[in-house]
Amino acid sequence: MDREMFMTLVWPTISKSIEDKGFEPSLISNETVENGAYILLSPGHAWPQSEKPFRNIVIGLLTRLHIPFEDRSDGLYTLIFIDFNKLRSQDIKND
């Protein structure tokens, strides 16, 4: 799965599911983040204590959807990395 497929097919579903739980997710994906994207809590979110519940929701959702990820959270900020290369290799294994 490439960046475009993830952004148009997968991200809207993930984003909506997270929003339904009361959080505002942000996605960082550009040329700087080569073959991946970072999911993080929207910077404007007013509750610093909401990072852990947000992290748990994102990790639970990605696990249920079988989307490989790396938890790069540091205890203060939730930072979940989606590696498109791993997604691509998972697609190949599932074919």
Side-chain angles (χ1 to χ4, degrees):
M1 177 178 305
D2 64 8
R3 180 187 319 273
E4 187 175 332
M5 284 180 69
F6 181 83
M7 299 297 244
T8 58
L9 300 175
V10 179
W11 175 245
T13 302
I14 292 173
S15 178
K16 175 75 170 110
S17 296
I18 296 169
E19 288 170 1
D20 288 348
K21 302 281 187 183
F23 295 100
E24 296 175 36
S26 292
L27 186 72
I28 299 174
S29 180
N30 55 34
E31 285 81 37
T32 309
V33 184
E34 289 190 13
N35 288 309
Y38 285 96
I39 299 174
L40 62 147
L41 187 60
S42 177
H45 209 276
W47 311 320
Q49 68 272 21
S50 63
E51 285 288 337
K52 186 173 179 178
F54 173 77
R55 178 183 167 274
N56 292 341
I57 287 168
V58 172
I59 288 174
L61 181 61
L62 295 174
T63 301
R64 280 193 311 272
L65 294 173
H66 303 287
I67 296 176
F69 65 91
E70 295 174 33
D71 183 2
R72 296 186 180 174
S73 304
D74 64 3
L76 294 174
Y77 298 101
T78 298
L79 204 59
I80 307 295
F81 182 69
I82 308 296
D83 186 333
F84 296 142
N85 290 329
K86 286 183 181 179
L87 268 176
R88 214 172 293 132
S89 70
Q90 181 174 321
D91 289 343
I92 292 168
K93 289 178 193 174
N94 290 335
D95 286 343

